[in-house]
Amino acid sequence: MNEKLRIVVLAGTTRQKRESIKAARYVFEFGKRFPDLEMVLADPQEFNFPGDGNDPEGKDPRYSELTAKADGFFIVTPEYNHSFPGSLKRMLDSELKNYVHKPVALAGASNGGWGGVRAVEALVPTVREMGLAVTFTSVYFPRVQDLFDESGQLKPENEARYEQNLNSAYKELIWMAKVLKWGRLNLAND
């Protein structure tokens, strides 16, 4: 099992003036530092999910293919009203079978000082019900509007903190992705 693991970073909202996209892009770019990962960024603005649920007419075939090929996920969600956005829930709901026994790391972002912790907490039972295995290490981006410069780059004074946090989160996600991929491949016929 020497091939690269495919990790899909899910940006959590379609909101036009979303600050969390900067955090999602940073998480995506950070993942490229790991030579055993193939990174994909999934922006919900680029998909179409008509209706609700995971019925065939409610799927975007491009997203279906993306999730089927994924070995793991890293969700970056903003916190709206103490929870995660409906657009993220809709995106997740469209593909139940493609999540089973795959790991997911979580990151929260907010304009306030909590960093999206309540959105992450609200997301845990949802992704667990979808069959995803949630990692222990989460990352938080409080006052996300102040962490990045105008071009979307993390400001230098924030680099050390986020490098340490994301390094830990990715190491755990990679470990879980390897173990669960092995299990899906080797135990499927038991």
Side-chain angles (χ1 to χ4, degrees):
M1 203 164 68
N2 291 336
E3 63 188 50
K4 289 188 174 192
L5 295 167
R6 179 178 284 197
I7 302 297
V8 177
V9 175
L10 300 178
T13 183
T14 57
R15 192 178 206 168
Q16 291 301 311
K17 295 183 180 182
R18 58 194 177 159
E19 290 287 334
S20 63
I21 193 66
K22 295 174 186 173
R25 289 180 182 138
Y26 178 70
V27 167
F28 166 72
E29 290 297 330
F30 194 92
K32 291 180 177 179
R33 297 179 186 186
F34 296 89
D36 48 351
L37 296 184
E38 175 188 341
M39 299 299 299
V40 178
L41 178 63
D43 184 339
Q45 287 186 344
E46 298 173 5
F47 297 96
N48 179 34
F49 301 105
D52 286 325
N54 67 342
D55 298 324
E57 64 275 7
K59 295 181 182 295
D60 184 314
R62 296 169 303 131
Y63 186 71
S64 296
E65 181 180 357
L66 191 71
T67 58
K69 292 180 178 177
D71 294 305
F73 300 90
F74 206 131
I75 298 174
V76 182
T77 181
E79 182 176 317
Y80 296 158
N81 300 315
H82 292 212
S83 192
F84 55 93
S87 52
L88 175 60
K89 180 72 162 73
R90 177 65 196 101
M91 190 176 192
L92 290 169
D93 279 348
S94 73
E95 293 300 330
L96 297 180
K97 72 175 185 172
N98 291 342
Y99 300 133
V100 176
H101 299 144
K102 293 181 181 180
V104 61
L106 304 174
S110 69
N111 290 339
W114 290 86
V117 69
R118 293 172 292 208
V120 167
E121 288 176 350
L123 193 54
V124 169
T126 299
V127 295
R128 184 178 169 272
E129 179 62 25
M130 293 174 175
L132 289 160
V134 183
T135 62
F136 181 74
T137 306
S138 298
V139 180
Y140 300 101
F141 295 89
R143 294 184 180 80
V144 66
Q145 71 278 8
D146 298 330
L147 297 175
F148 298 88
D149 64 23
E150 302 79 39
S151 67
Q153 298 299 309
L154 190 68
K155 292 178 181 176
E157 62 268 22
N158 300 315
E159 287 177 3
R161 173 183 174 200
Y162 284 100
E163 290 207 5
Q164 181 179 357
N165 290 349
L166 275 170
N167 193 51
S168 295
Y170 266 109
K171 283 185 175 181
E172 182 182 3
L173 181 61
I174 291 167
W175 184 88
M176 286 182 70
K178 287 178 180 177
V179 169
L180 290 171
K181 184 174 186 175
W182 180 90
R184 288 191 312 274
L185 294 173
N186 293 293
L187 302 176
N189 297 325
D190 283 357

